[in-house]
Amino acid sequence: MEGFFQFLQSFDLGRQIYQTVFYADRWSWYLDGLKLTLQLTCGAILIGTLLGVITALFSISGFAPLRFIAKVYTTIIRGTPTTVQLLIMYNVIMVSSTNKLLVGTLAFGINSGAYVAEILRGGIMSVDKGQTEAGRSLGLKQWQTMLYIVLPQAVKTSIPTYTSEFIVLFKETSIAGLIAVTELTKIANMITSQTYNAMVPLIVSALIYLAVVMLLTFVFGKLERRLRKSDAR
Amino acid sequence: MTQDKNDSIIQVTDLHKSFGKLEVLAGITENVKRGEVVAVIGPSGSGKSTFLRCLNLLEQPTSGHILVDGVDITDKKTDINKVRQGMGMVFQHFNLFPHLKVIDNITLAPLQLKVFSNKESARKAGMELLERVGLADKADSYPVQLSGGQKQRIAIARALAMSPRIMLFDEPTSALDPEMVGEVLKVMTDLAREGMTMVIVTHEMGFAREAADRVLFMDGGIIAEQGRPEEIFSNPKNPRTREFLSKVL
């Protein structure tokens, strides 16, 4: 390790890398940042999925007030910038909260819920009407037909868009630094302000984002192939 | 409820159905007897499918009454799900559940509706149905792996899984390649012989002639003529029936 550090110190870029990544164990900061980024993402996708499923079911409900609630929610969230939503959550709605991670998770979760709802609604709409008719003609109730026949198919067609929403969300958490959550991008900024070096911390964080996205894409791809089993001849 | 073989299991009185301004059913009054096989024929747009779909309320009639086993299903208080359990339906496009294996297609409704208390007995009954339609070896296949004729036979097995007293068929062979029509019609003929009450919307005139007890000819949203198949096919009285048959036979 010592030899590697001496090698780094021998040229300019190497010195920059040493200073912004290895000096004072700064590499562990990036990892802490990534951990917060992942916490935000996972928490938000959990909330988002829950809200999304409920909202999607509201939006196809036969009861008009529920459809109205779903419409208002998705319109507002999809019609305003995520950054503004995050700041409103932090500075207005949860101004008394000291748990910034919680505020961020909620803001991103509520944001994601609107998109998940639209993704799932699209999936439900894409299921042939004949499927519902077949279910109902057997005497199954509306909810049973939805739960056992329509939703499994809707979920399957929604998975590719849902996984891209997950990846979008993962990258979008980079704005959480605005409310002082020390996620990966914020960490890069903090290291820049200590070292007066912007390039290396930003590139490093970009590479970390990229690596995680590639890993997620790989895992989701595998999952999709498994779910497509029943389509195979 | 009497077990008289001649009593009506379906009684339709002055049935009307409109889609917006378009009147598709213009007053149908018709009875179907227990164990009777009724074929509904007629040109496209004559309201045959709409009539059939009203019988299990997949279409909500605009007015009129439909009694199934003496229960008025157009009455809002009637539990239509309960009535539908006794009426199987087979669709033109099969509508098998693509995400479920063949056997699970068949056992889904009986399990959810508590006809069977456990998976084993449901599977056993499902396998017997598959045996009946000659597809026991496909139990663990997915629908996408089957031919059209096989899919439709599975769809019939699925509809039979709730032990219905009435079977409705909505152009069951219209989406099939010609060489697969026979296998489906054979299953239906067997079913008719076993005494199942059947209402069949069909373009298969040969089948209607052979298997049906009675033929309804629909045109312009009404039953223009009805009678025994030999009367309708050999000696139609209504000029519209004659014109239609001259085109399709």
Side-chain angles (χ1 to χ4, degrees), chain B residues 124-150:
Chain B
K124 194 165 160 282
M127 288 307 296
E128 278 167 22
L129 284 169
L130 282 176
E131 209 78 63
R132 237 167 109 180
V133 299
L135 290 169
D137 56 324
K138 299 291 181 191
D140 292 306
S141 303
Y142 282 96
V144 75
Q145 298 165 306
L146 307 174
S147 73
Q150 291 172 331

PDB file of all heavy atoms in Angstrom, chain B residues 124-150:
ATOM      1  N   LYS B 124     -56.996 -32.710  -8.358  1.00  0.00           N
ATOM      2  CA  LYS B 124     -57.534 -33.998  -8.792  1.00  0.00           C
ATOM      3  C   LYS B 124     -58.741 -33.770  -9.710  1.00  0.00           C
ATOM      4  O   LYS B 124     -58.833 -34.350 -10.793  1.00  0.00           O
ATOM      5  CB  LYS B 124     -57.942 -34.822  -7.570  1.00  0.00           C
ATOM      6  CG  LYS B 124     -58.187 -36.278  -7.857  1.00  0.00           C
ATOM      7  CD  LYS B 124     -58.224 -37.097  -6.570  1.00  0.00           C
ATOM      8  CE  LYS B 124     -58.938 -38.419  -6.806  1.00  0.00           C
ATOM      9  NZ  LYS B 124     -60.420 -38.281  -6.831  1.00  0.00           N
ATOM     10  N   ALA B 125     -59.638 -32.879  -9.273  1.00  0.00           N
ATOM     11  CA  ALA B 125     -60.816 -32.578 -10.097  1.00  0.00           C
ATOM     12  C   ALA B 125     -60.404 -31.916 -11.411  1.00  0.00           C
ATOM     13  O   ALA B 125     -60.971 -32.204 -12.470  1.00  0.00           O
ATOM     14  CB  ALA B 125     -61.767 -31.668  -9.320  1.00  0.00           C
ATOM     15  N   GLY B 126     -59.401 -31.045 -11.319  1.00  0.00           N
ATOM     16  CA  GLY B 126     -58.905 -30.381 -12.522  1.00  0.00           C
ATOM     17  C   GLY B 126     -58.328 -31.374 -13.513  1.00  0.00           C
ATOM     18  O   GLY B 126     -58.557 -31.269 -14.724  1.00  0.00           O
ATOM     19  N   MET B 127     -57.596 -32.364 -12.989  1.00  0.00           N
ATOM     20  CA  MET B 127     -57.005 -33.375 -13.863  1.00  0.00           C
ATOM     21  C   MET B 127     -58.090 -34.204 -14.553  1.00  0.00           C
ATOM     22  O   MET B 127     -57.952 -34.576 -15.718  1.00  0.00           O
ATOM     23  CB  MET B 127     -56.064 -34.290 -13.068  1.00  0.00           C
ATOM     24  CG  MET B 127     -54.752 -33.667 -12.639  1.00  0.00           C
ATOM     25  SD  MET B 127     -53.791 -32.904 -13.967  1.00  0.00           S
ATOM     26  CE  MET B 127     -53.413 -34.343 -14.969  1.00  0.00           C
ATOM     27  N   GLU B 128     -59.168 -34.465 -13.821  1.00  0.00           N
ATOM     28  CA  GLU B 128     -60.275 -35.206 -14.443  1.00  0.00           C
ATOM     29  C   GLU B 128     -60.878 -34.432 -15.608  1.00  0.00           C
ATOM     30  O   GLU B 128     -61.201 -35.009 -16.651  1.00  0.00           O
ATOM     31  CB  GLU B 128     -61.365 -35.508 -13.394  1.00  0.00           C
ATOM     32  CG  GLU B 128     -61.036 -36.734 -12.548  1.00  0.00           C
ATOM     33  CD  GLU B 128     -61.939 -36.840 -11.318  1.00  0.00           C
ATOM     34  OE1 GLU B 128     -63.046 -36.256 -11.332  1.00  0.00           O
ATOM     35  OE2 GLU B 128     -61.510 -37.510 -10.351  1.00  0.00           O
ATOM     36  N   LEU B 129     -60.993 -33.112 -15.419  1.00  0.00           N
ATOM     37  CA  LEU B 129     -61.518 -32.276 -16.501  1.00  0.00           C
ATOM     38  C   LEU B 129     -60.573 -32.277 -17.694  1.00  0.00           C
ATOM     39  O   LEU B 129     -61.000 -32.351 -18.847  1.00  0.00           O
ATOM     40  CB  LEU B 129     -61.732 -30.840 -16.008  1.00  0.00           C
ATOM     41  CG  LEU B 129     -62.963 -30.635 -15.133  1.00  0.00           C
ATOM     42  CD1 LEU B 129     -62.927 -29.259 -14.493  1.00  0.00           C
ATOM     43  CD2 LEU B 129     -64.226 -30.803 -15.962  1.00  0.00           C
ATOM     44  N   LEU B 130     -59.267 -32.197 -17.407  1.00  0.00           N
ATOM     45  CA  LEU B 130     -58.287 -32.221 -18.491  1.00  0.00           C
ATOM     46  C   LEU B 130     -58.346 -33.547 -19.239  1.00  0.00           C
ATOM     47  O   LEU B 130     -58.225 -33.599 -20.464  1.00  0.00           O
ATOM     48  CB  LEU B 130     -56.877 -31.993 -17.931  1.00  0.00           C
ATOM     49  CG  LEU B 130     -56.532 -30.542 -17.585  1.00  0.00           C
ATOM     50  CD1 LEU B 130     -55.155 -30.449 -16.952  1.00  0.00           C
ATOM     51  CD2 LEU B 130     -56.600 -29.674 -18.837  1.00  0.00           C
ATOM     52  N   GLU B 131     -58.564 -34.614 -18.474  1.00  0.00           N
ATOM     53  CA  GLU B 131     -58.741 -35.936 -19.062  1.00  0.00           C
ATOM     54  C   GLU B 131     -59.910 -35.909 -20.048  1.00  0.00           C
ATOM     55  O   GLU B 131     -59.825 -36.410 -21.167  1.00  0.00           O
ATOM     56  CB  GLU B 131     -59.034 -36.915 -17.921  1.00  0.00           C
ATOM     57  CG  GLU B 131     -58.603 -38.351 -18.135  1.00  0.00           C
ATOM     58  CD  GLU B 131     -57.111 -38.523 -17.921  1.00  0.00           C
ATOM     59  OE1 GLU B 131     -56.616 -38.290 -16.789  1.00  0.00           O
ATOM     60  OE2 GLU B 131     -56.443 -38.882 -18.896  1.00  0.00           O
ATOM     61  N   ARG B 132     -60.989 -35.266 -19.607  1.00  0.00           N
ATOM     62  CA  ARG B 132     -62.200 -35.211 -20.414  1.00  0.00           C
ATOM     63  C   ARG B 132     -61.992 -34.494 -21.738  1.00  0.00           C
ATOM     64  O   ARG B 132     -62.578 -34.854 -22.742  1.00  0.00           O
ATOM     65  CB  ARG B 132     -63.267 -34.450 -19.616  1.00  0.00           C
ATOM     66  CG  ARG B 132     -64.536 -35.250 -19.396  1.00  0.00           C
ATOM     67  CD  ARG B 132     -65.375 -34.563 -18.371  1.00  0.00           C
ATOM     68  NE  ARG B 132     -66.562 -33.965 -18.945  1.00  0.00           N
ATOM     69  CZ  ARG B 132     -67.451 -33.294 -18.222  1.00  0.00           C
ATOM     70  NH1 ARG B 132     -67.263 -33.135 -16.924  1.00  0.00           N
ATOM     71  NH2 ARG B 132     -68.510 -32.784 -18.794  1.00  0.00           N
ATOM     72  N   VAL B 133     -61.156 -33.443 -21.722  1.00  0.00           N
ATOM     73  CA  VAL B 133     -60.918 -32.714 -22.975  1.00  0.00           C
ATOM     74  C   VAL B 133     -59.652 -33.220 -23.666  1.00  0.00           C
ATOM     75  O   VAL B 133     -59.175 -32.627 -24.632  1.00  0.00           O
ATOM     76  CB  VAL B 133     -60.841 -31.182 -22.757  1.00  0.00           C
ATOM     77  CG1 VAL B 133     -62.151 -30.665 -22.187  1.00  0.00           C
ATOM     78  CG2 VAL B 133     -59.674 -30.812 -21.852  1.00  0.00           C
ATOM     79  N   GLY B 134     -59.112 -34.322 -23.133  1.00  0.00           N
ATOM     80  CA  GLY B 134     -57.982 -34.982 -23.780  1.00  0.00           C
ATOM     81  C   GLY B 134     -56.659 -34.256 -23.677  1.00  0.00           C
ATOM     82  O   GLY B 134     -55.808 -34.371 -24.548  1.00  0.00           O
ATOM     83  N   LEU B 135     -56.460 -33.488 -22.587  1.00  0.00           N
ATOM     84  CA  LEU B 135     -55.224 -32.709 -22.490  1.00  0.00           C
ATOM     85  C   LEU B 135     -54.531 -32.869 -21.140  1.00  0.00           C
ATOM     86  O   LEU B 135     -53.855 -31.953 -20.667  1.00  0.00           O
ATOM     87  CB  LEU B 135     -55.521 -31.224 -22.749  1.00  0.00           C
ATOM     88  CG  LEU B 135     -55.884 -30.873 -24.193  1.00  0.00           C
ATOM     89  CD1 LEU B 135     -56.419 -29.451 -24.282  1.00  0.00           C
ATOM     90  CD2 LEU B 135     -54.678 -31.043 -25.107  1.00  0.00           C
ATOM     91  N   ALA B 136     -54.689 -34.036 -20.533  1.00  0.00           N
ATOM     92  CA  ALA B 136     -54.104 -34.261 -19.210  1.00  0.00           C
ATOM     93  C   ALA B 136     -52.586 -34.043 -19.226  1.00  0.00           C
ATOM     94  O   ALA B 136     -52.008 -33.594 -18.238  1.00  0.00           O
ATOM     95  CB  ALA B 136     -54.429 -35.671 -18.727  1.00  0.00           C
ATOM     96  N   ASP B 137     -51.950 -34.335 -20.357  1.00  0.00           N
ATOM     97  CA  ASP B 137     -50.493 -34.192 -20.429  1.00  0.00           C
ATOM     98  C   ASP B 137     -50.050 -32.727 -20.458  1.00  0.00           C
ATOM     99  O   ASP B 137     -48.865 -32.441 -20.345  1.00  0.00           O
ATOM    100  CB  ASP B 137     -49.960 -34.926 -21.670  1.00  0.00           C
ATOM    101  CG  ASP B 137     -50.616 -34.451 -22.952  1.00  0.00           C
ATOM    102  OD1 ASP B 137     -51.827 -34.142 -22.920  1.00  0.00           O
ATOM    103  OD2 ASP B 137     -49.924 -34.375 -23.977  1.00  0.00           O
ATOM    104  N   LYS B 138     -50.991 -31.784 -20.602  1.00  0.00           N
ATOM    105  CA  LYS B 138     -50.623 -30.368 -20.678  1.00  0.00           C
ATOM    106  C   LYS B 138     -50.810 -29.636 -19.347  1.00  0.00           C
ATOM    107  O   LYS B 138     -50.689 -28.412 -19.287  1.00  0.00           O
ATOM    108  CB  LYS B 138     -51.474 -29.661 -21.745  1.00  0.00           C
ATOM    109  CG  LYS B 138     -51.312 -30.214 -23.140  1.00  0.00           C
ATOM    110  CD  LYS B 138     -49.939 -29.906 -23.705  1.00  0.00           C
ATOM    111  CE  LYS B 138     -49.807 -30.450 -25.110  1.00  0.00           C
ATOM    112  NZ  LYS B 138     -48.417 -30.392 -25.581  1.00  0.00           N
ATOM    113  N   ALA B 139     -51.102 -30.385 -18.284  1.00  0.00           N
ATOM    114  CA  ALA B 139     -51.440 -29.758 -16.999  1.00  0.00           C
ATOM    115  C   ALA B 139     -50.412 -28.729 -16.559  1.00  0.00           C
ATOM    116  O   ALA B 139     -50.759 -27.661 -16.054  1.00  0.00           O
ATOM    117  CB  ALA B 139     -51.606 -30.830 -15.923  1.00  0.00           C
ATOM    118  N   ASP B 140     -49.134 -29.036 -16.766  1.00  0.00           N
ATOM    119  CA  ASP B 140     -48.102 -28.132 -16.262  1.00  0.00           C
ATOM    120  C   ASP B 140     -47.499 -27.247 -17.339  1.00  0.00           C
ATOM    121  O   ASP B 140     -46.455 -26.631 -17.145  1.00  0.00           O
ATOM    122  CB  ASP B 140     -47.026 -28.942 -15.542  1.00  0.00           C
ATOM    123  CG  ASP B 140     -47.565 -29.553 -14.253  1.00  0.00           C
ATOM    124  OD1 ASP B 140     -48.101 -28.786 -13.432  1.00  0.00           O
ATOM    125  OD2 ASP B 140     -47.509 -30.787 -14.097  1.00  0.00           O
ATOM    126  N   SER B 141     -48.168 -27.173 -18.498  1.00  0.00           N
ATOM    127  CA  SER B 141     -47.732 -26.242 -19.541  1.00  0.00           C
ATOM    128  C   SER B 141     -48.327 -24.866 -19.268  1.00  0.00           C
ATOM    129  O   SER B 141     -49.289 -24.733 -18.513  1.00  0.00           O
ATOM    130  CB  SER B 141     -48.205 -26.716 -20.914  1.00  0.00           C
ATOM    131  OG  SER B 141     -47.743 -28.011 -21.181  1.00  0.00           O
ATOM    132  N   TYR B 142     -47.740 -23.861 -19.929  1.00  0.00           N
ATOM    133  CA  TYR B 142     -48.340 -22.537 -19.917  1.00  0.00           C
ATOM    134  C   TYR B 142     -49.173 -22.363 -21.193  1.00  0.00           C
ATOM    135  O   TYR B 142     -48.863 -22.964 -22.222  1.00  0.00           O
ATOM    136  CB  TYR B 142     -47.254 -21.460 -19.822  1.00  0.00           C
ATOM    137  CG  TYR B 142     -46.706 -21.305 -18.426  1.00  0.00           C
ATOM    138  CD1 TYR B 142     -45.532 -21.953 -18.033  1.00  0.00           C
ATOM    139  CD2 TYR B 142     -47.376 -20.517 -17.493  1.00  0.00           C
ATOM    140  CE1 TYR B 142     -45.040 -21.816 -16.742  1.00  0.00           C
ATOM    141  CE2 TYR B 142     -46.885 -20.378 -16.207  1.00  0.00           C
ATOM    142  CZ  TYR B 142     -45.723 -21.023 -15.833  1.00  0.00           C
ATOM    143  OH  TYR B 142     -45.249 -20.885 -14.559  1.00  0.00           O
ATOM    144  N   PRO B 143     -50.227 -21.542 -21.133  1.00  0.00           N
ATOM    145  CA  PRO B 143     -51.106 -21.384 -22.293  1.00  0.00           C
ATOM    146  C   PRO B 143     -50.358 -21.083 -23.592  1.00  0.00           C
ATOM    147  O   PRO B 143     -50.752 -21.545 -24.656  1.00  0.00           O
ATOM    148  CB  PRO B 143     -52.017 -20.222 -21.891  1.00  0.00           C
ATOM    149  CG  PRO B 143     -52.097 -20.331 -20.411  1.00  0.00           C
ATOM    150  CD  PRO B 143     -50.740 -20.797 -19.959  1.00  0.00           C
ATOM    151  N   VAL B 144     -49.299 -20.289 -23.502  1.00  0.00           N
ATOM    152  CA  VAL B 144     -48.584 -19.875 -24.709  1.00  0.00           C
ATOM    153  C   VAL B 144     -47.969 -21.066 -25.448  1.00  0.00           C
ATOM    154  O   VAL B 144     -47.664 -20.985 -26.631  1.00  0.00           O
ATOM    155  CB  VAL B 144     -47.519 -18.810 -24.348  1.00  0.00           C
ATOM    156  CG1 VAL B 144     -46.330 -19.453 -23.668  1.00  0.00           C
ATOM    157  CG2 VAL B 144     -47.081 -18.048 -25.579  1.00  0.00           C
ATOM    158  N   GLN B 145     -47.824 -22.170 -24.740  1.00  0.00           N
ATOM    159  CA  GLN B 145     -47.218 -23.352 -25.367  1.00  0.00           C
ATOM    160  C   GLN B 145     -48.241 -24.221 -26.107  1.00  0.00           C
ATOM    161  O   GLN B 145     -47.882 -25.251 -26.652  1.00  0.00           O
ATOM    162  CB  GLN B 145     -46.519 -24.200 -24.285  1.00  0.00           C
ATOM    163  CG  GLN B 145     -45.380 -23.463 -23.591  1.00  0.00           C
ATOM    164  CD  GLN B 145     -44.937 -24.142 -22.309  1.00  0.00           C
ATOM    165  OE1 GLN B 145     -45.739 -24.403 -21.422  1.00  0.00           O
ATOM    166  NE2 GLN B 145     -43.655 -24.432 -22.219  1.00  0.00           N
ATOM    167  N   LEU B 146     -49.521 -23.794 -26.089  1.00  0.00           N
ATOM    168  CA  LEU B 146     -50.566 -24.628 -26.673  1.00  0.00           C
ATOM    169  C   LEU B 146     -51.043 -24.086 -28.012  1.00  0.00           C
ATOM    170  O   LEU B 146     -50.923 -22.902 -28.306  1.00  0.00           O
ATOM    171  CB  LEU B 146     -51.775 -24.680 -25.716  1.00  0.00           C
ATOM    172  CG  LEU B 146     -51.504 -25.090 -24.283  1.00  0.00           C
ATOM    173  CD1 LEU B 146     -52.785 -24.941 -23.468  1.00  0.00           C
ATOM    174  CD2 LEU B 146     -50.986 -26.507 -24.217  1.00  0.00           C
ATOM    175  N   SER B 147     -51.631 -24.961 -28.809  1.00  0.00           N
ATOM    176  CA  SER B 147     -52.269 -24.532 -30.057  1.00  0.00           C
ATOM    177  C   SER B 147     -53.633 -23.931 -29.738  1.00  0.00           C
ATOM    178  O   SER B 147     -54.145 -24.083 -28.626  1.00  0.00           O
ATOM    179  CB  SER B 147     -52.443 -25.732 -30.979  1.00  0.00           C
ATOM    180  OG  SER B 147     -53.479 -26.559 -30.496  1.00  0.00           O
ATOM    181  N   GLY B 148     -54.214 -23.256 -30.717  1.00  0.00           N
ATOM    182  CA  GLY B 148     -55.516 -22.629 -30.507  1.00  0.00           C
ATOM    183  C   GLY B 148     -56.582 -23.619 -30.071  1.00  0.00           C
ATOM    184  O   GLY B 148     -57.352 -23.366 -29.142  1.00  0.00           O
ATOM    185  N   GLY B 149     -56.603 -24.769 -30.737  1.00  0.00           N
ATOM    186  CA  GLY B 149     -57.606 -25.786 -30.395  1.00  0.00           C
ATOM    187  C   GLY B 149     -57.426 -26.283 -28.972  1.00  0.00           C
ATOM    188  O   GLY B 149     -58.400 -26.465 -28.238  1.00  0.00           O
ATOM    189  N   GLN B 150     -56.150 -26.463 -28.590  1.00  0.00           N
ATOM    190  CA  GLN B 150     -55.881 -26.912 -27.220  1.00  0.00           C
ATOM    191  C   GLN B 150     -56.300 -25.838 -26.218  1.00  0.00           C
ATOM    192  O   GLN B 150     -56.905 -26.132 -25.191  1.00  0.00           O
ATOM    193  CB  GLN B 150     -54.394 -27.233 -27.068  1.00  0.00           C
ATOM    194  CG  GLN B 150     -53.976 -28.466 -27.856  1.00  0.00           C
ATOM    195  CD  GLN B 150     -52.469 -28.668 -27.869  1.00  0.00           C
ATOM    196  OE1 GLN B 150     -51.699 -27.716 -27.781  1.00  0.00           O
ATOM    197  NE2 GLN B 150     -52.043 -29.912 -27.987  1.00  0.00           N
TER     198      GLN B 150
END
